[in-house]
Amino acid sequence: MSKPSDKSRLSDLPIPARIALTLFAALIVSGMAVSGILVNLSLREDWVVTVPRIERIQAKYAWSPIKGAALTSMREYLVDQEEVDAITKWCDQGGQRTGFYENVYPVLERRCLRCHGGETVMGNVSMTTWGDVANLSTIRGMPARKLALQTHNHVLGIGLLALMAGIMISFTGYSTGTRVILVAIPFLAMAADIGSWWLCRMNPDFSWVIWIAGFAMVASLSALPLLAVWDMWRPRPSKSME
């Protein structure tokens, strides 16, 4: 049995197959663009698409919900840094009952209980008692069950896209070394990104890895299909000229 030739190319496929792969590549690229926008919006409170700040990534994966809110989404409702410090310092000290009603509750009463107290409890988050707020101060980042589900979905979904993009780039005319590097990048970036979601719970500095690896993953999964399509359709010298 003869071995498959390393010279097999996507450009050798019939035109209908190349059209199908081109449309599939367009879906991957557009999907990456939409996912990037959605991730950005999930880290913001408005519809302005910008580069997410590290603080918002830390609020999602590293800090407790109450601390993350005080430094990000609730920050505009807190008058000065003293109110922010009262909440974050209390969270860093373990959310103890001691000092809560003296230092933290007055801030919550002025700024938060209108939406998170009494009969009105926005987002099913109550802040009327120490117990309510203490529960929000002990969780580090996203709840483990929710993070596990997010990990499961991303590993399967992004992993499949990386596999398909890798197969496409494998049958191009780029050098073997280039193809190996291009195939590996999205898998390595995905592993670093998802792994840092969990590591960020222990050390917020891993938020930088999430930022960098996430960008590398989206960029590589967008670039690989485009490079494959370019190689598949680009003009080549005729065999008589080779």
Side-chain angles (χ1 to χ4, degrees):
M1 181 180 296
S2 61
K3 296 182 179 179
S5 172
D6 190 47
K7 295 183 179 180
S8 299
R9 300 286 183 263
L10 294 178
S11 57
D12 297 329
L13 293 172
I15 289 180
R18 283 188 280 166
I19 291 175
L21 286 175
T22 301
L23 294 175
F24 179 72
L27 286 176
I28 294 180
V29 174
S30 59
M32 287 297 101
V34 171
S35 67
I37 293 173
L38 291 177
V39 168
N40 183 289
L41 294 177
S42 72
L43 298 172
R44 296 181 60 87
E45 288 71 51
D46 51 44
W47 285 85
V48 178
V49 178
T50 60
V51 177
R53 299 204 312 269
I54 290 297
E55 292 83 359
R56 296 194 178 277
I57 297 176
Q58 292 174 335
K60 183 175 183 179
Y61 293 106
W63 296 335
S64 64
I66 186 68
K67 179 179 178 179
L71 291 169
T72 56
S73 60
M74 284 174 51
R75 181 64 183 86
E76 61 181 295
Y77 301 106
L78 303 177
V79 173
D80 52 37
Q81 189 62 38
E82 185 177 343
E83 292 185 339
V84 176
D85 292 341
I87 295 175
T88 57
K89 183 178 179 180
W90 176 75
C91 291
D92 292 339
Q93 292 174 344
Q96 300 298 317
R97 189 183 187 94
T98 304
F100 172 76
Y101 287 102
E102 294 80 4
N103 302 319
V104 178
Y105 189 78
V107 178
L108 300 179
E109 189 175 29
R110 290 193 300 268
R111 313 299 177 197
C112 307
L113 292 188
R114 181 178 180 181
C115 297
H116 297 285
E119 297 180 357
T120 303
V121 182
M122 183 180 294
N124 200 30
V125 176
S126 175
M127 297 183 180
T128 54
T129 67
W130 166 76
D132 293 335
V133 184
N135 289 333
L136 298 174
S137 69
T138 55
I139 302 172
R140 292 188 64 85
M142 188 183 299
R145 183 182 181 87
K146 184 177 180 180
L147 186 57
L149 179 61
Q150 179 174 301
T151 300
H152 169 78
N153 292 336
H154 278 70
V155 167
L156 293 181
I158 301 298
L160 182 59
L161 290 179
L163 174 63
M164 296 303 297
I167 291 175
M168 289 179 66
I169 207 70
S170 297
F171 289 93
T172 59
Y174 305 111
S175 68
T176 301
T178 299
R179 284 179 286 160
V180 169
I181 293 173
L182 290 175
V183 167
I185 288 175
F187 287 102
L188 295 176
M190 179 181 67
D193 182 31
I194 295 177
S196 294
W197 296 350
W198 295 90
L199 294 174
C200 205
R201 298 161 71 90
M202 296 180 286
N203 188 337
D205 289 340
F206 278 99
S207 58
W208 286 99
V209 181
I210 295 175
W211 195 98
I212 296 171
F215 176 81
M217 181 177 65
V218 172
S220 61
L221 285 176
S222 300
L224 263 64
L226 293 177
L227 290 171
V229 168
W230 161 250
D231 184 79
M232 183 168 56
W233 290 103
R234 67 186 177 92
R236 285 182 171 79
S238 61
K239 293 184 179 180
S240 60
M241 297 176 60
E242 293 179 349

PDB file of all heavy atoms in Angstrom, residues 198-223:
ATOM      1  N   TRP A 198      -9.018  28.281  35.736  1.00  0.00           N
ATOM      2  CA  TRP A 198      -8.975  27.610  37.036  1.00  0.00           C
ATOM      3  C   TRP A 198      -7.826  28.124  37.895  1.00  0.00           C
ATOM      4  O   TRP A 198      -7.987  28.329  39.101  1.00  0.00           O
ATOM      5  CB  TRP A 198      -8.849  26.096  36.826  1.00  0.00           C
ATOM      6  CG  TRP A 198     -10.052  25.501  36.166  1.00  0.00           C
ATOM      7  CD1 TRP A 198     -10.273  25.344  34.825  1.00  0.00           C
ATOM      8  CD2 TRP A 198     -11.230  25.011  36.815  1.00  0.00           C
ATOM      9  NE1 TRP A 198     -11.497  24.787  34.593  1.00  0.00           N
ATOM     10  CE2 TRP A 198     -12.115  24.559  35.795  1.00  0.00           C
ATOM     11  CE3 TRP A 198     -11.622  24.896  38.148  1.00  0.00           C
ATOM     12  CZ2 TRP A 198     -13.367  24.013  36.084  1.00  0.00           C
ATOM     13  CZ3 TRP A 198     -12.864  24.348  38.431  1.00  0.00           C
ATOM     14  CH2 TRP A 198     -13.724  23.914  37.412  1.00  0.00           C
ATOM     15  N   LEU A 199      -6.676  28.343  37.280  1.00  0.00           N
ATOM     16  CA  LEU A 199      -5.522  28.826  38.038  1.00  0.00           C
ATOM     17  C   LEU A 199      -5.746  30.242  38.554  1.00  0.00           C
ATOM     18  O   LEU A 199      -5.184  30.630  39.584  1.00  0.00           O
ATOM     19  CB  LEU A 199      -4.271  28.783  37.155  1.00  0.00           C
ATOM     20  CG  LEU A 199      -3.807  27.380  36.739  1.00  0.00           C
ATOM     21  CD1 LEU A 199      -2.658  27.475  35.743  1.00  0.00           C
ATOM     22  CD2 LEU A 199      -3.391  26.570  37.958  1.00  0.00           C
ATOM     23  N   CYS A 200      -6.576  30.995  37.855  1.00  0.00           N
ATOM     24  CA  CYS A 200      -6.859  32.368  38.269  1.00  0.00           C
ATOM     25  C   CYS A 200      -7.565  32.408  39.623  1.00  0.00           C
ATOM     26  O   CYS A 200      -7.487  33.407  40.340  1.00  0.00           O
ATOM     27  CB  CYS A 200      -7.716  33.054  37.206  1.00  0.00           C
ATOM     28  SG  CYS A 200      -7.567  34.853  37.172  1.00  0.00           S
ATOM     29  N   ARG A 201      -8.229  31.337  39.991  1.00  0.00           N
ATOM     30  CA  ARG A 201      -8.891  31.271  41.290  1.00  0.00           C
ATOM     31  C   ARG A 201      -7.870  31.266  42.426  1.00  0.00           C
ATOM     32  O   ARG A 201      -8.177  31.658  43.550  1.00  0.00           O
ATOM     33  CB  ARG A 201      -9.768  30.017  41.367  1.00  0.00           C
ATOM     34  CG  ARG A 201     -10.885  30.005  40.334  1.00  0.00           C
ATOM     35  CD  ARG A 201     -11.425  28.596  40.119  1.00  0.00           C
ATOM     36  NE  ARG A 201     -12.188  28.123  41.256  1.00  0.00           N
ATOM     37  CZ  ARG A 201     -13.496  28.299  41.408  1.00  0.00           C
ATOM     38  NH1 ARG A 201     -14.174  28.961  40.487  1.00  0.00           N
ATOM     39  NH2 ARG A 201     -14.128  27.820  42.451  1.00  0.00           N
ATOM     40  N   MET A 202      -6.647  30.808  42.117  1.00  0.00           N
ATOM     41  CA  MET A 202      -5.583  30.776  43.119  1.00  0.00           C
ATOM     42  C   MET A 202      -4.667  31.988  43.024  1.00  0.00           C
ATOM     43  O   MET A 202      -4.120  32.438  44.030  1.00  0.00           O
ATOM     44  CB  MET A 202      -4.765  29.487  42.959  1.00  0.00           C
ATOM     45  CG  MET A 202      -5.560  28.216  43.218  1.00  0.00           C
ATOM     46  SD  MET A 202      -4.561  26.723  43.019  1.00  0.00           S
ATOM     47  CE  MET A 202      -4.414  26.651  41.231  1.00  0.00           C
ATOM     48  N   ASN A 203      -4.494  32.498  41.807  1.00  0.00           N
ATOM     49  CA  ASN A 203      -3.616  33.648  41.604  1.00  0.00           C
ATOM     50  C   ASN A 203      -4.194  34.533  40.503  1.00  0.00           C
ATOM     51  O   ASN A 203      -4.218  34.134  39.336  1.00  0.00           O
ATOM     52  CB  ASN A 203      -2.211  33.180  41.219  1.00  0.00           C
ATOM     53  CG  ASN A 203      -1.209  34.322  41.186  1.00  0.00           C
ATOM     54  OD1 ASN A 203      -1.569  35.483  41.029  1.00  0.00           O
ATOM     55  ND2 ASN A 203       0.065  34.000  41.334  1.00  0.00           N
ATOM     56  N   PRO A 204      -4.652  35.737  40.855  1.00  0.00           N
ATOM     57  CA  PRO A 204      -5.271  36.624  39.855  1.00  0.00           C
ATOM     58  C   PRO A 204      -4.347  37.002  38.704  1.00  0.00           C
ATOM     59  O   PRO A 204      -4.827  37.448  37.656  1.00  0.00           O
ATOM     60  CB  PRO A 204      -5.655  37.866  40.677  1.00  0.00           C
ATOM     61  CG  PRO A 204      -5.757  37.384  42.085  1.00  0.00           C
ATOM     62  CD  PRO A 204      -4.721  36.306  42.211  1.00  0.00           C
ATOM     63  N   ASP A 205      -3.038  36.830  38.876  1.00  0.00           N
ATOM     64  CA  ASP A 205      -2.111  37.186  37.799  1.00  0.00           C
ATOM     65  C   ASP A 205      -2.304  36.326  36.558  1.00  0.00           C
ATOM     66  O   ASP A 205      -1.873  36.709  35.459  1.00  0.00           O
ATOM     67  CB  ASP A 205      -0.664  37.072  38.284  1.00  0.00           C
ATOM     68  CG  ASP A 205      -0.297  38.162  39.279  1.00  0.00           C
ATOM     69  OD1 ASP A 205      -0.998  39.199  39.297  1.00  0.00           O
ATOM     70  OD2 ASP A 205       0.671  37.984  40.040  1.00  0.00           O
ATOM     71  N   PHE A 206      -2.934  35.172  36.715  1.00  0.00           N
ATOM     72  CA  PHE A 206      -3.207  34.330  35.549  1.00  0.00           C
ATOM     73  C   PHE A 206      -4.230  34.978  34.614  1.00  0.00           C
ATOM     74  O   PHE A 206      -4.454  34.479  33.506  1.00  0.00           O
ATOM     75  CB  PHE A 206      -3.693  32.948  35.983  1.00  0.00           C
ATOM     76  CG  PHE A 206      -2.580  32.010  36.355  1.00  0.00           C
ATOM     77  CD1 PHE A 206      -2.246  31.806  37.675  1.00  0.00           C
ATOM     78  CD2 PHE A 206      -1.861  31.344  35.377  1.00  0.00           C
ATOM     79  CE1 PHE A 206      -1.213  30.950  38.033  1.00  0.00           C
ATOM     80  CE2 PHE A 206      -0.828  30.482  35.711  1.00  0.00           C
ATOM     81  CZ  PHE A 206      -0.497  30.286  37.042  1.00  0.00           C
ATOM     82  N   SER A 207      -4.839  36.071  35.058  1.00  0.00           N
ATOM     83  CA  SER A 207      -5.754  36.795  34.173  1.00  0.00           C
ATOM     84  C   SER A 207      -5.019  37.318  32.942  1.00  0.00           C
ATOM     85  O   SER A 207      -5.610  37.443  31.865  1.00  0.00           O
ATOM     86  CB  SER A 207      -6.415  37.954  34.924  1.00  0.00           C
ATOM     87  OG  SER A 207      -5.434  38.839  35.444  1.00  0.00           O
ATOM     88  N   TRP A 208      -3.728  37.615  33.095  1.00  0.00           N
ATOM     89  CA  TRP A 208      -2.938  38.050  31.941  1.00  0.00           C
ATOM     90  C   TRP A 208      -2.790  36.918  30.930  1.00  0.00           C
ATOM     91  O   TRP A 208      -2.802  37.150  29.716  1.00  0.00           O
ATOM     92  CB  TRP A 208      -1.561  38.538  32.396  1.00  0.00           C
ATOM     93  CG  TRP A 208      -1.606  39.872  33.057  1.00  0.00           C
ATOM     94  CD1 TRP A 208      -1.601  40.133  34.399  1.00  0.00           C
ATOM     95  CD2 TRP A 208      -1.686  41.143  32.411  1.00  0.00           C
ATOM     96  NE1 TRP A 208      -1.671  41.482  34.630  1.00  0.00           N
ATOM     97  CE2 TRP A 208      -1.721  42.131  33.425  1.00  0.00           C
ATOM     98  CE3 TRP A 208      -1.732  41.545  31.080  1.00  0.00           C
ATOM     99  CZ2 TRP A 208      -1.798  43.489  33.139  1.00  0.00           C
ATOM    100  CZ3 TRP A 208      -1.811  42.897  30.791  1.00  0.00           C
ATOM    101  CH2 TRP A 208      -1.842  43.852  31.813  1.00  0.00           C
ATOM    102  N   VAL A 209      -2.658  35.692  31.425  1.00  0.00           N
ATOM    103  CA  VAL A 209      -2.561  34.545  30.521  1.00  0.00           C
ATOM    104  C   VAL A 209      -3.886  34.362  29.785  1.00  0.00           C
ATOM    105  O   VAL A 209      -3.908  34.059  28.584  1.00  0.00           O
ATOM    106  CB  VAL A 209      -2.188  33.270  31.299  1.00  0.00           C
ATOM    107  CG1 VAL A 209      -2.069  32.075  30.346  1.00  0.00           C
ATOM    108  CG2 VAL A 209      -0.885  33.466  32.066  1.00  0.00           C
ATOM    109  N   ILE A 210      -4.995  34.547  30.500  1.00  0.00           N
ATOM    110  CA  ILE A 210      -6.312  34.450  29.865  1.00  0.00           C
ATOM    111  C   ILE A 210      -6.427  35.470  28.740  1.00  0.00           C
ATOM    112  O   ILE A 210      -6.898  35.154  27.637  1.00  0.00           O
ATOM    113  CB  ILE A 210      -7.434  34.668  30.903  1.00  0.00           C
ATOM    114  CG1 ILE A 210      -7.426  33.542  31.937  1.00  0.00           C
ATOM    115  CG2 ILE A 210      -8.797  34.756  30.220  1.00  0.00           C
ATOM    116  CD1 ILE A 210      -8.416  33.746  33.068  1.00  0.00           C
ATOM    117  N   TRP A 211      -5.996  36.681  29.007  1.00  0.00           N
ATOM    118  CA  TRP A 211      -6.088  37.755  28.013  1.00  0.00           C
ATOM    119  C   TRP A 211      -5.245  37.423  26.786  1.00  0.00           C
ATOM    120  O   TRP A 211      -5.721  37.484  25.648  1.00  0.00           O
ATOM    121  CB  TRP A 211      -5.612  39.063  28.642  1.00  0.00           C
ATOM    122  CG  TRP A 211      -5.974  40.299  27.882  1.00  0.00           C
ATOM    123  CD1 TRP A 211      -7.025  41.134  28.128  1.00  0.00           C
ATOM    124  CD2 TRP A 211      -5.278  40.856  26.753  1.00  0.00           C
ATOM    125  NE1 TRP A 211      -7.029  42.171  27.221  1.00  0.00           N
ATOM    126  CE2 TRP A 211      -5.966  42.027  26.365  1.00  0.00           C
ATOM    127  CE3 TRP A 211      -4.157  40.485  26.031  1.00  0.00           C
ATOM    128  CZ2 TRP A 211      -5.563  42.817  25.300  1.00  0.00           C
ATOM    129  CZ3 TRP A 211      -3.747  41.269  24.955  1.00  0.00           C
ATOM    130  CH2 TRP A 211      -4.445  42.421  24.607  1.00  0.00           C
ATOM    131  N   ILE A 212      -3.984  37.050  27.013  1.00  0.00           N
ATOM    132  CA  ILE A 212      -3.060  36.798  25.899  1.00  0.00           C
ATOM    133  C   ILE A 212      -3.439  35.522  25.149  1.00  0.00           C
ATOM    134  O   ILE A 212      -3.502  35.498  23.909  1.00  0.00           O
ATOM    135  CB  ILE A 212      -1.614  36.707  26.423  1.00  0.00           C
ATOM    136  CG1 ILE A 212      -1.186  38.054  27.014  1.00  0.00           C
ATOM    137  CG2 ILE A 212      -0.660  36.286  25.311  1.00  0.00           C
ATOM    138  CD1 ILE A 212       0.137  38.015  27.752  1.00  0.00           C
ATOM    139  N   ALA A 213      -3.690  34.440  25.896  1.00  0.00           N
ATOM    140  CA  ALA A 213      -4.009  33.163  25.255  1.00  0.00           C
ATOM    141  C   ALA A 213      -5.352  33.227  24.533  1.00  0.00           C
ATOM    142  O   ALA A 213      -5.515  32.640  23.455  1.00  0.00           O
ATOM    143  CB  ALA A 213      -4.023  32.043  26.292  1.00  0.00           C
ATOM    144  N   GLY A 214      -6.304  33.927  25.119  1.00  0.00           N
ATOM    145  CA  GLY A 214      -7.597  34.064  24.455  1.00  0.00           C
ATOM    146  C   GLY A 214      -7.477  34.800  23.133  1.00  0.00           C
ATOM    147  O   GLY A 214      -8.086  34.412  22.126  1.00  0.00           O
ATOM    148  N   PHE A 215      -6.676  35.858  23.136  1.00  0.00           N
ATOM    149  CA  PHE A 215      -6.453  36.596  21.892  1.00  0.00           C
ATOM    150  C   PHE A 215      -5.747  35.712  20.866  1.00  0.00           C
ATOM    151  O   PHE A 215      -6.117  35.687  19.681  1.00  0.00           O
ATOM    152  CB  PHE A 215      -5.615  37.842  22.162  1.00  0.00           C
ATOM    153  CG  PHE A 215      -5.255  38.616  20.924  1.00  0.00           C
ATOM    154  CD1 PHE A 215      -6.160  39.499  20.357  1.00  0.00           C
ATOM    155  CD2 PHE A 215      -4.021  38.447  20.315  1.00  0.00           C
ATOM    156  CE1 PHE A 215      -5.839  40.205  19.201  1.00  0.00           C
ATOM    157  CE2 PHE A 215      -3.687  39.142  19.165  1.00  0.00           C
ATOM    158  CZ  PHE A 215      -4.598  40.028  18.609  1.00  0.00           C
ATOM    159  N   ALA A 216      -4.733  34.956  21.310  1.00  0.00           N
ATOM    160  CA  ALA A 216      -3.991  34.083  20.396  1.00  0.00           C
ATOM    161  C   ALA A 216      -4.889  32.996  19.825  1.00  0.00           C
ATOM    162  O   ALA A 216      -4.777  32.635  18.641  1.00  0.00           O
ATOM    163  CB  ALA A 216      -2.804  33.459  21.128  1.00  0.00           C
ATOM    164  N   MET A 217      -5.788  32.475  20.647  1.00  0.00           N
ATOM    165  CA  MET A 217      -6.689  31.418  20.185  1.00  0.00           C
ATOM    166  C   MET A 217      -7.640  31.941  19.115  1.00  0.00           C
ATOM    167  O   MET A 217      -7.800  31.328  18.048  1.00  0.00           O
ATOM    168  CB  MET A 217      -7.482  30.857  21.365  1.00  0.00           C
ATOM    169  CG  MET A 217      -8.431  29.731  21.011  1.00  0.00           C
ATOM    170  SD  MET A 217      -9.264  29.073  22.474  1.00  0.00           S
ATOM    171  CE  MET A 217     -10.227  30.510  22.989  1.00  0.00           C
ATOM    172  N   VAL A 218      -8.266  33.083  19.378  1.00  0.00           N
ATOM    173  CA  VAL A 218      -9.200  33.655  18.409  1.00  0.00           C
ATOM    174  C   VAL A 218      -8.468  34.052  17.128  1.00  0.00           C
ATOM    175  O   VAL A 218      -8.942  33.795  16.012  1.00  0.00           O
ATOM    176  CB  VAL A 218      -9.932  34.867  19.017  1.00  0.00           C
ATOM    177  CG1 VAL A 218     -10.750  35.591  17.956  1.00  0.00           C
ATOM    178  CG2 VAL A 218     -10.839  34.425  20.161  1.00  0.00           C
ATOM    179  N   ALA A 219      -7.294  34.665  17.283  1.00  0.00           N
ATOM    180  CA  ALA A 219      -6.537  35.111  16.110  1.00  0.00           C
ATOM    181  C   ALA A 219      -6.087  33.929  15.257  1.00  0.00           C
ATOM    182  O   ALA A 219      -6.187  33.958  14.020  1.00  0.00           O
ATOM    183  CB  ALA A 219      -5.331  35.934  16.554  1.00  0.00           C
ATOM    184  N   SER A 220      -5.601  32.870  15.904  1.00  0.00           N
ATOM    185  CA  SER A 220      -5.109  31.715  15.142  1.00  0.00           C
ATOM    186  C   SER A 220      -6.247  30.963  14.462  1.00  0.00           C
ATOM    187  O   SER A 220      -6.115  30.529  13.308  1.00  0.00           O
ATOM    188  CB  SER A 220      -4.322  30.773  16.057  1.00  0.00           C
ATOM    189  OG  SER A 220      -5.142  30.272  17.099  1.00  0.00           O
ATOM    190  N   LEU A 221      -7.377  30.818  15.152  1.00  0.00           N
ATOM    191  CA  LEU A 221      -8.509  30.124  14.545  1.00  0.00           C
ATOM    192  C   LEU A 221      -9.139  30.936  13.423  1.00  0.00           C
ATOM    193  O   LEU A 221      -9.872  30.388  12.592  1.00  0.00           O
ATOM    194  CB  LEU A 221      -9.559  29.801  15.608  1.00  0.00           C
ATOM    195  CG  LEU A 221      -9.213  28.647  16.547  1.00  0.00           C
ATOM    196  CD1 LEU A 221     -10.280  28.478  17.615  1.00  0.00           C
ATOM    197  CD2 LEU A 221      -9.039  27.350  15.767  1.00  0.00           C
ATOM    198  N   SER A 222      -8.882  32.228  13.403  1.00  0.00           N
ATOM    199  CA  SER A 222      -9.332  33.057  12.284  1.00  0.00           C
ATOM    200  C   SER A 222      -8.326  33.019  11.139  1.00  0.00           C
ATOM    201  O   SER A 222      -8.703  33.011   9.960  1.00  0.00           O
ATOM    202  CB  SER A 222      -9.532  34.506  12.745  1.00  0.00           C
ATOM    203  OG  SER A 222     -10.501  34.588  13.769  1.00  0.00           O
ATOM    204  N   ALA A 223      -7.039  32.983  11.490  1.00  0.00           N
ATOM    205  CA  ALA A 223      -5.992  33.050  10.466  1.00  0.00           C
ATOM    206  C   ALA A 223      -5.828  31.736   9.710  1.00  0.00           C
ATOM    207  O   ALA A 223      -5.625  31.743   8.485  1.00  0.00           O
ATOM    208  CB  ALA A 223      -4.665  33.450  11.112  1.00  0.00           C
TER     209      ALA A 223
END
